[in-house]
Amino acid sequence: MMIRVSVYQTAKGPFFCCHGCDLSLNWTLFREENMEVMQVVKEQITRTLSSKPTSLELFKNKVNALNYSEILKLRQTERLHQEETLAPPVLELKERLKPELLELIRQQRLNRLCQGTMFRKISSRRRQDKLWYCRLSPNHKMLHYGDVEEDAENPAIETLQEKIPVADIKGLLTGKDCPHMKENKGKQTKEVLDLAFSITYDVEEYSLNFIAPSRTDFCLWTDGLSVLLGRDMSSESMRSELEILLSMEIKLRLLDLENVPIPESAPIIPKPPSNYNFCYDFSQTEQ
């Protein structure tokens, strides 16, 4: 098969040429199975690109290593995994495991709030000038906070001057709904909006405003505060962790069933016998 490349002048030229060589190599292996050739080449490219190679040479090496036999192995592994995870008994097991794993995530979130986090105050001039620390009391009844110095690490609860009873917290706001974001509407970047959250307390006249240091801290705190308010956790971090925990737990539970096909439905339970005369009567004294 001849492939004429006339785009070498562009940055896409070497990349296109690499695909052409790969297509030509697979063509010699499959002969007349045109559609299969295209599917394999497409899969080689998409799987290699998903690993985000940093150079064309690395891309070539990964494509060459991902030959047809490797593609077949990956397809078979993924098919078996899909059959296992989508089987009705496995889906039912997942639903049974979810409450226990969600409770585990809830406890982790509350423990993280008890450890506390250092936040920055952003002034109206958009300068990061002051630091403050917030943490939950060990009995989960008080939220302690106060200003701290730059070099302070994990300050004790006794050193934090202010506190809010958890029972007084009325609501949790995020993003552009936060009071400190409304005050500077149109001035805050999307990055800051994605990290902002507030709690309202008393009769919703007062609020404590946060800007998380990272998206991870944002998810941990909004999940933890939702737990304190008796609400469901809804962050992307929680969903990701739940999926990972479910996957690990399912794999552990199915270890003894390796290479054993999982039935689509439970076996039929036979009808009870007409009598139980075959049972041994222990009430009679042996002679």
Side-chain angles (χ1 to χ4, degrees):
M1 177 184 177
M2 296 296 292
I3 297 179
R4 187 178 299 275
V5 180
S6 59
V7 288
Y8 254 109
Q9 293 79 8
T10 69
K12 298 178 182 177
F15 190 66
F16 177 81
C17 186
C18 179
H19 296 337
C21 295
D22 187 39
L23 178 62
S24 180
L25 177 63
N26 282 288
W27 198 282
T28 58
L29 294 175
F30 291 96
R31 298 296 178 184
E32 298 179 358
E33 299 178 15
N34 300 352
M35 291 305 297
E36 184 65 19
V37 172
M38 300 304 294
Q39 286 296 327
V40 169
V41 173
K42 179 181 177 181
E43 202 161 338
Q44 285 176 317
I45 294 170
T46 53
R47 288 181 183 273
T48 303
L49 288 176
S50 66
S51 65
K52 298 180 180 179
T54 55
S55 67
L56 182 62
E57 191 62 32
L58 187 59
F59 175 81
K60 287 180 181 178
N61 294 336
K62 289 192 174 184
V63 167
N64 293 334
L66 202 61
N67 52 37
Y68 180 61
S69 60
E70 287 297 319
I71 293 287
L72 284 181
K73 289 179 184 177
L74 289 170
R75 285 177 177 177
Q76 185 177 12
T77 302
E78 291 171 357
R79 181 176 56 80
L80 291 173
H81 176 69
Q82 188 175 21
E83 288 177 357
E84 286 182 356
T85 54
L86 296 180
V90 176
L91 293 176
E92 184 180 346
L93 179 59
K94 273 189 173 184
E95 290 303 314
R96 291 188 180 184
L97 291 173
K98 267 186 182 179
E100 180 183 346
L101 297 178
L102 280 171
E103 182 59 30
L104 184 66
I105 296 175
R106 288 191 194 98
Q107 291 303 318
Q108 187 271 338
R109 296 299 194 259
L110 292 176
N111 290 339
R112 184 64 184 82
L113 264 60
C114 289
Q115 292 176 12
T117 303
M118 189 175 292
F119 298 91
R120 286 190 178 272
K121 292 182 179 179
I122 297 183
S123 65
S124 57
R125 296 181 182 180
R126 301 181 72 178
R127 291 182 305 165
Q128 296 182 347
D129 45 7
K130 291 185 178 181
L131 296 172
W132 64 289
Y133 202 88
C134 186
R135 66 188 302 175
L136 181 66
S137 63
N139 61 6
H140 303 166
K141 292 185 177 181
M142 288 285 180
L143 206 58
H144 298 259
Y145 65 98
D147 294 340
V148 293
E149 298 298 327
E150 182 80 38
D151 56 351
E153 291 186 7
N154 198 20
I157 282 184
E158 295 77 17
T159 62
L160 302 176
Q161 307 87 355
E162 306 291 338
K163 60 183 178 180
I164 300 173
V166 171
D168 289 347
I169 299 176
K170 304 300 180 184
L172 172 65
L173 305 172
T174 60
K176 61 183 180 181
D177 296 327
C178 299
H180 57 317
M181 294 295 105
K182 288 182 178 179
E183 292 172 3
N184 299 305
K185 190 175 182 181
K187 298 180 181 180
Q188 300 292 358
T189 63
K190 185 179 184 302
E191 181 182 358
V192 174
L193 284 172
D194 288 341
L195 299 176
F197 63 98
S198 302
I199 54 173
T200 57
Y201 54 98
D202 286 335
V203 288
E204 299 191 13
E205 295 180 358
Y206 303 98
S207 65
L208 184 62
N209 303 316
F210 301 77
I211 295 179
S214 66
R215 187 65 187 177
T216 300
D217 287 301
F218 174 87
C219 293
L220 291 171
W221 272 85
T222 52
D223 282 344
L225 291 169
S226 295
V227 172
L228 291 174
L229 293 172
R231 301 176 183 174
D232 293 333
M233 299 177 291
S234 59
S235 73
E236 66 268 20
S237 179
M238 181 278 298
R239 291 191 293 270
S240 174
E241 290 172 23
L242 179 61
E243 194 59 38
I244 291 171
L245 290 171
L246 276 172
S247 177
M248 291 174 60
E249 192 66 26
I250 290 292
K251 287 178 180 178
L252 289 173
R253 299 286 182 104
L254 298 180
L255 275 177
D256 294 335
L257 295 178
E258 190 174 0
N259 298 324
V260 176
I262 300 175
E264 290 291 324
S265 57
I268 299 174
I269 301 175
K271 294 181 179 180
S274 57
N275 63 72
Y276 294 89
N277 294 336
F278 56 86
C279 294
Y280 185 80
D281 187 2
F282 288 94
S283 62
Q284 296 181 0
T285 305
E286 294 184 359
Q287 298 297 329

